[in-house]
Amino acid sequence: MNSRTVSMPGQILPESLRTPPITAGPVSLAELDEQVLSPVERKPPKAWFFAFAFTSAVMLLGMGLIGYTIATGIGVWGNNIPVAWGFDIINFVFWVGIGHAGTLISAILLLFRARWRNAISRSAEALTIFAIMCATLFPLIHVGRPWLAFWLFPYPNQRGIWPNFRSPLMWDVFAVNTYFAVSLLFWYLGLVPDFASLRERTQSKIRKFFYAILSAGWRGSASHWHHYEKAYLVIAGLATGLVLSVHSVVSFDFAVSLVPGWHMTIFPPYFVAGAIFAGFAMVVIVLVVVRTTMRLENLITLYHLEVMNKIILTCACLMGYSYLMEAWTAWYSMNSYIHHTFRQYVAGTYWWAGWTTITCNIVIPQLLWVRRLRRSYPAMIFVAVAVTVGMWFERFVIIVSSLHQDFLPSAWHIYKPTLVDCGILLGTFGLFFTLVLLFARVLPVIASTEMKSVLPGMQPRREGGTHE
Amino acid sequence: MNREVFSVLGIFDSAQQLMDAIPAVKGKVPGKLEAYTPYPIHGIDKALELRKSPIAGMVLVMGFIGAISAMVFELWTEAVDYPMMTAGKPFWSWEAFVPIMFEAMVLFACFTGGLGMLFLLNRLPMFRHPMLSSRSMPLVTRDKFALAVETEGQRVDVDGISRLLQSVGARSIEVVEQMPATGPASPQFLFRFTVGVMVACLAAGYLTYWVIKLYPRAIPMVHMLDQPRLDPQREDSFFRDGAGMRMPAAGTVARGYMPYLIQSENEADLLPNPLPRTEEVLKKGRLTFNTYCSVCHGILGDGKPTLTAAYGAKPANLVSESIRDYADGRLYHVITMGKNAMTSYAADVGREERWTVVHYVRVLQRALNARDEDIPEEARK
């Protein structure tokens, strides 16, 4: 059999249907290393310092307000019965959701052997880790006395009691912590060979010391790669189940309760789709900045951005379906409380939040049907920011609009966030982008080793075709 | 020329050349054949005849262990050690424990896969491997591919191996000596560094403890201990007399308070029982007796099988002849004022309740000294 025709079915396909090359122009291994690894060794440009100063100032504002909250008590927030969950849980769900794109790209697309994932997996995984860090802050400060948060873990204690494992909030503790630990491990494993490359490149003794420790003495022998690849694949498979479970568990916090508008079986898939949706929007925003400022246009190509925009479009359609399905379920329930809650979503006190959600999440992403807009920076940034805003408001609608008018009309209450609430939300954006900026200077933003293995012609020919 | 070396490396320019060279060298050299590459090369494991990676099996086993231990732990805590009823579900409602079981499975499995691969199978971290000090290391972590004949200290014909590698296409040859690499730092330094960090942590903890102890103004966590309120029986500077509690106004009488003026048991004999002997009263009397009296006098009032008796006290036998002869008022008086070792129950048992107990004690006395006539006619045969 002629191996060429088998290995390249693209040759018999029309140009428009062929998978585009993963890099713009040929890239050699040494060039790749130079392009990806050298920014880590150089002094950052001035613009970086300005950006860093700005984001860390915003972060400090948030940290200060968190300190004020802890010292004073969470009475400084707008939460009050019946809206016991306000900005804190909205922001928690929002940030956890953002993290999901990273695991999807690094784990699920690895299983699907989507080669375009290799250029963006490192930064997407980094966003996952930073987003979970922002997310976990909120339940921690919402408990009021965060120094006692360790009570959530089942350890033998003199009180002789255990946490309630039947509570979805406990499931959340385990799901989010597992997710963070596994994401960090996965990220680190991907970094190990890159640390080895950095160790061998660097001229500075101090850097060499740290890279040597971080690379754990990785030497790239065939027998090591053999175990490494297998472990990576197995963890990717497990992480796939994990990423689907984490936002499902987050949705159980709502779905397991009896609040009208929350008690719905569609919540787990609906939350997972929304999480991937918001996460991809954030990845697009960050990658556009990274590829232009770090001159990585040939490695993170317009094709990458276009594919991600297609996923955003798909998720927007899924979200539209979910909203319709939710509304239909509400109508079909013949339950006057659920009817009332759904009328509140679009025509209540917070009607504007409901319509912002629908506009930003379903209407605006439809722009991406146009190929020219999928490949244009202003258009994709506009859509990504709209999706980020829309997904935040979606959680606002789910939490505040559902809670503020519950079963007991005498308890109804209009929720108003305070400035402290808004400042802490802003502060987590500061924290997130500060971490992103640090990441972009301290670690290689592209998994150079992974990229090498998928560059054209880098895998040996074998009987039956190339192994790319 | 035979020398003791760690390995002989042949450097290749592409993965294809490396793969083509492996079969040509295999079996013709002493020691082990190994390759060093900047990225994983597909199919090289078969070419080098590497053993199948046991990682999947390890992950499977540990995943099972994680899942089972999480489920067993949750069931034990929620159904056995501290049974907790939630939402009316049975204690053994295992369905609620599945999410955490799943997370524990993934956690165990992923860390087994990741750390097991690095630390167990690849024997990392290893900073003193001879390869790490070789000149080729910067190349094989960038864009070159090395085929290594690893003899690990045997005496071998270095020139012969070099010629063989060159003949199959190696661009250059490096002989890696048996000397181990120096690593990122000497073991002594790493040891001192670790000990230093530990000592610093201990010192910082001890210092913090004493600072907080000596300057309690700076208590970081008051745990809601600091509450501005007046505690009973405590001093307080708020009132002029320095006491937190106030005296009631002169002549205050507590609600429902009735003075008890009977001085002696003989006087009490004259008190009549104000309550009728109805079933309701007797039931109430039984409840009160069982709650307060039976602890010492026994559930039948005979003073025998009780806790106090076990400790050597002698509670009165309420069904004995002498107490059967007590007037109702005298029984009431004993409950109210106490007798011998028995303390007053006036504070615990209300006025009416005491009278119900008196009625119930009469029931016990009659029941334990029943006469033939007490048994109904038809049951007597």
Side-chain angles (χ1 to χ4, degrees):
Chain A
M1 190 195 295
N2 184 346
S3 70
R4 289 220 149 240
T5 53
V6 173
S7 66
M8 293 190 179
Q11 287 194 334
I12 49 171
L13 286 173
E15 174 71 33
S16 59
L17 290 182
R18 275 185 229 163
T19 314
I22 53 165
T23 57
V27 180
S28 80
L29 297 182
E31 283 164 5
L32 181 78
D33 261 8
E34 186 59 30
Q35 207 181 349
V36 173
L37 302 182
S38 67
V40 177
E41 296 162 342
R42 276 200 308 269
K43 224 179 133 196
K46 243 190 203 139
W48 184 87
F49 284 102
F50 281 120
F52 186 74
F54 177 71
T55 57
S56 45
V58 176
M59 176 185 78
L60 284 179
L61 170 83
M63 294 298 139
L65 288 172
I66 287 175
Y68 173 63
T69 305
I70 292 172
T72 321
I74 55 171
V76 299
W77 296 349
N79 308 11
N80 214 336
I81 298 298
V83 190
W85 284 358
F87 263 39
D88 41 9
I89 304 301
I90 300 172
N91 297 344
F92 165 71
V93 179
F94 171 73
W95 280 117
V96 170
I98 296 234
H100 278 53
T103 322
L104 183 98
I105 290 171
S106 59
I108 299 182
L109 295 185
L110 179 81
L111 297 187
F112 283 133
R113 302 215 182 273
R115 282 186 298 136
W116 58 271
R117 67 169 277 284
N118 289 290
I120 56 170
S121 63
R122 170 73 45 76
S123 31
E125 283 167 42
L127 298 194
T128 297
I129 289 163
F130 304 152
I132 306 174
M133 285 163 81
C134 293
T136 46
L137 261 180
F138 285 100
L140 196 66
I141 55 177
H142 190 204
V143 299
R145 289 187 280 165
W147 53 91
L148 296 179
F150 66 91
W151 284 1
L152 288 165
F153 291 98
Y155 66 100
N157 53 63
Q158 81 272 37
R159 304 186 294 283
I161 55 173
W162 298 102
N164 180 7
F165 290 120
R166 291 189 184 87
S167 160
L169 301 183
M170 274 314 288
W171 306 346
D172 227 15
V173 171
F174 281 84
V176 174
N177 280 304
T178 303
Y179 187 39
F180 183 69
V182 169
S183 300
L184 203 62
L185 174 81
F186 201 49
W187 197 46
Y188 174 67
L189 288 184
L191 275 164
V192 165
D194 280 7
F195 280 136
S197 300
L198 283 167
R199 177 193 69 206
E200 298 303 328
R201 275 174 64 89
T202 185
Q203 303 300 318
S204 147
K205 267 204 153 159
I206 300 168
R207 279 169 175 277
K208 204 179 176 77
F209 171 79
F210 285 112
Y211 289 140
I213 300 276
L214 286 169
S215 67
W218 181 264
R219 50 185 191 271
S221 73
S223 48
H224 284 187
W225 283 122
H226 176 53
H227 295 307
Y228 179 91
E229 283 236 284
K230 193 71 172 260
Y232 209 73
L233 191 68
V234 167
I235 297 175
L238 289 160
T240 302
L242 183 64
V243 69
L244 297 180
S245 85
V246 171
H247 227 60
S248 300
V249 167
V250 170
S251 81
F252 290 158
D253 292 349
F254 302 93
V256 172
S257 80
L258 287 172
V259 175
W262 288 6
H263 191 58
M264 290 199 166
T265 47
I266 198 179
F267 260 42
Y270 157 46
F271 266 51
V272 171
I276 291 162
F277 186 41
F280 265 88
M282 188 59 92
V283 172
V284 164
I285 294 174
V286 170
L287 281 187
V288 165
V289 177
V290 163
R291 87 186 272 259
T292 42
T293 55
M294 299 183 74
R295 295 195 190 80
L296 296 170
E297 285 97 338
N298 61 335
L299 297 177
I300 303 170
T301 61
L302 266 181
Y303 167 65
H304 288 103
L305 294 171
E306 192 186 346
V307 174
M308 280 192 284
N309 285 331
K310 281 181 185 166
I311 293 183
I312 291 178
L313 180 60
T314 312
C315 287
C317 297
L318 278 174
M319 294 313 285
Y321 171 77
S322 299
Y323 294 162
L324 286 176
M325 201 62 201
E326 248 193 315
W328 190 82
T329 313
W331 170 75
Y332 192 66
S333 71
M334 307 221 303
N335 178 317
S336 55
Y337 295 101
I338 300 183
H339 289 177
H340 176 80
T341 302
F342 273 78
R343 270 197 298 277
Q344 285 298 314
Y345 283 175
V346 287
T349 317
Y350 302 106
W351 62 270
W352 42 270
W355 287 108
T356 308
T357 306
I358 292 169
T359 315
C360 289
N361 286 353
I362 298 168
V363 181
I364 294 178
Q366 303 306 321
L367 290 175
L368 298 175
W369 284 105
V370 183
R371 180 179 149 92
R372 204 158 50 81
L373 297 180
R374 280 203 302 271
R375 299 172 74 92
S376 124
Y377 278 173
M380 71 174 89
I381 293 280
F382 172 66
V383 171
V385 170
V387 168
T388 308
V389 171
M391 283 310 292
W392 190 88
F393 272 101
E394 183 204 291
R395 278 67 176 247
F396 183 91
V397 170
I398 292 175
I399 292 172
V400 175
S401 299
S402 305
L403 283 176
H404 85 292
Q405 294 196 350
D406 64 354
F407 295 108
L408 201 61
S410 63
W412 289 2
H413 172 75
I414 300 294
Y415 168 79
K416 280 190 199 125
T418 60
L419 279 179
V420 178
D421 277 318
C422 302
I424 294 177
L425 170 61
L426 202 64
T428 49
F429 274 98
L431 170 67
F432 183 76
F433 287 111
T434 305
L435 290 168
V436 170
L437 283 170
L438 279 177
F439 158 70
R441 296 316 309 186
V442 174
L443 298 173
V445 289
I446 291 180
S448 125
T449 313
E450 265 184 42
M451 273 299 277
K452 285 175 186 172
S453 68
V454 295
L455 285 178
M458 287 305 153
Q459 293 295 349
R461 288 186 306 278
R462 301 177 72 209
E463 314 84 74
T466 61
H467 211 275
E468 281 164 11
Chain B
M1 189 182 68
N2 283 4
R3 263 172 57 202
E4 290 176 10
V5 295
F6 179 78
S7 67
V8 181
L9 300 179
I11 308 293
F12 295 85
D13 280 339
S14 75
Q16 189 63 53
Q17 288 173 10
L18 176 74
M19 286 296 278
D20 292 342
I22 291 173
V25 176
K26 206 193 290 175
K28 294 180 190 157
V29 286
K32 187 177 72 151
L33 212 53
E34 178 67 286
Y36 292 90
T37 58
Y39 55 85
I41 289 170
H42 299 159
I44 201 167
D45 45 342
K46 288 217 179 74
L48 289 173
E49 289 169 3
L50 299 176
R51 72 179 173 125
K52 200 168 169 292
S53 179
I55 209 102
M58 286 160 58
V59 165
L60 190 72
V61 170
M62 285 305 283
F64 263 114
I65 290 176
I68 290 167
S69 40
M71 180 55 92
V72 167
F73 180 75
E74 287 178 88
L75 283 170
W76 177 72
T77 54
E78 304 296 297
V80 179
D81 191 46
Y82 194 92
M84 191 151 44
M85 188 74 84
T86 307
K89 304 289 190 296
F91 290 133
W92 293 91
S93 53
W94 59 271
E95 296 89 341
F97 305 143
V98 169
I100 293 181
M101 180 186 82
F102 177 79
E103 304 301 337
M105 180 196 76
V106 172
L107 188 72
F108 274 54
C110 284
F111 274 79
T112 306
L115 303 184
M117 179 275 290
L118 270 187
F119 300 145
L120 228 63
L121 297 176
N122 288 353
R123 310 242 171 101
L124 295 172
M126 161 131 24
F127 299 116
R128 299 167 78 74
H129 193 270
M131 250 319 271
L132 289 176
S133 58
S134 77
R135 277 180 288 109
S136 307
M137 205 61 214
L139 302 179
V140 298
T141 53
R142 191 172 65 224
D143 58 351
K144 294 285 186 276
F145 304 80
L147 185 59
V149 180
E150 294 193 337
T151 54
E152 300 182 19
Q154 283 177 46
R155 287 185 78 81
V156 287
D157 173 14
V158 173
D159 293 338
I161 296 172
S162 306
R163 271 196 302 278
L164 176 64
L165 285 172
Q166 268 163 342
S167 72
V168 295
R171 193 49 81 76
S172 59
I173 300 292
E174 185 189 351
V175 180
V176 180
E177 300 297 334
Q178 178 63 9
M179 240 164 28
T182 50
S186 68
Q188 288 93 333
F189 172 80
L190 287 178
F191 177 73
R192 274 189 226 131
F193 181 77
T194 319
V195 171
V197 167
M198 277 156 66
V199 168
C201 288
L202 283 175
Y206 193 69
L207 206 70
T208 316
Y209 174 79
W210 277 107
V211 166
I212 290 172
K213 210 143 177 109
L214 295 176
Y215 299 98
R217 260 166 227 283
I219 295 173
M221 301 165 190
V222 287
H223 290 224
M224 295 186 186
L225 286 173
D226 177 27
Q227 298 191 1
R229 57 148 201 260
L230 299 179
D231 286 322
Q233 314 288 0
R234 289 291 164 88
E235 268 183 48
D236 199 283
S237 57
F238 186 76
F239 294 108
R240 201 166 295 160
D241 65 355
M245 283 172 99
R246 302 291 78 210
M247 297 297 285
T252 309
V253 178
R255 280 177 73 104
Y257 173 76
M258 283 270 277
Y260 185 69
L261 301 171
I262 309 291
Q263 297 291 320
S264 69
E265 292 184 2
N266 290 335
E267 241 180 281
D269 280 348
L270 301 173
L271 284 174
N273 192 334
L275 297 180
R277 252 178 264 159
T278 61
E279 196 183 347
E280 198 187 338
V281 166
L282 289 177
K283 273 188 176 162
K284 183 128 195 244
R286 180 171 61 188
L287 181 69
T288 315
F289 181 88
N290 287 348
T291 308
Y292 295 98
C293 315
S294 68
V295 181
C296 295
H297 292 289
I299 205 87
L300 296 175
D302 54 4
K304 268 179 212 156
T306 65
L307 193 63
T308 45
Y311 282 96
K314 291 196 182 68
N317 180 357
L318 300 181
V319 299
S320 66
E321 192 157 6
S322 62
I323 293 183
R324 262 185 292 161
D325 291 343
Y326 273 22
D328 276 5
R330 184 177 287 239
L331 281 172
Y332 177 81
H333 183 77
V334 170
I335 304 172
T336 311
M337 303 303 283
K339 187 172 183 175
N340 301 339
M342 175 175 161
T343 185
S344 160
Y345 275 77
D348 303 294
V349 186
R351 236 177 5 251
E352 283 212 345
E353 285 178 308
R354 272 173 263 162
W355 283 117
T356 63
V357 170
V358 171
H359 276 322
Y360 182 65
V361 168
R362 295 287 180 224
V363 171
L364 289 175
Q365 288 172 344
R366 181 75 181 274
L368 292 185
N369 298 281
R371 292 186 293 269
D372 285 353
E373 305 95 86
D374 294 336
I375 303 168
E377 195 74 34
E378 60 273 20
R380 232 181 283 172
K381 289 166 203 157

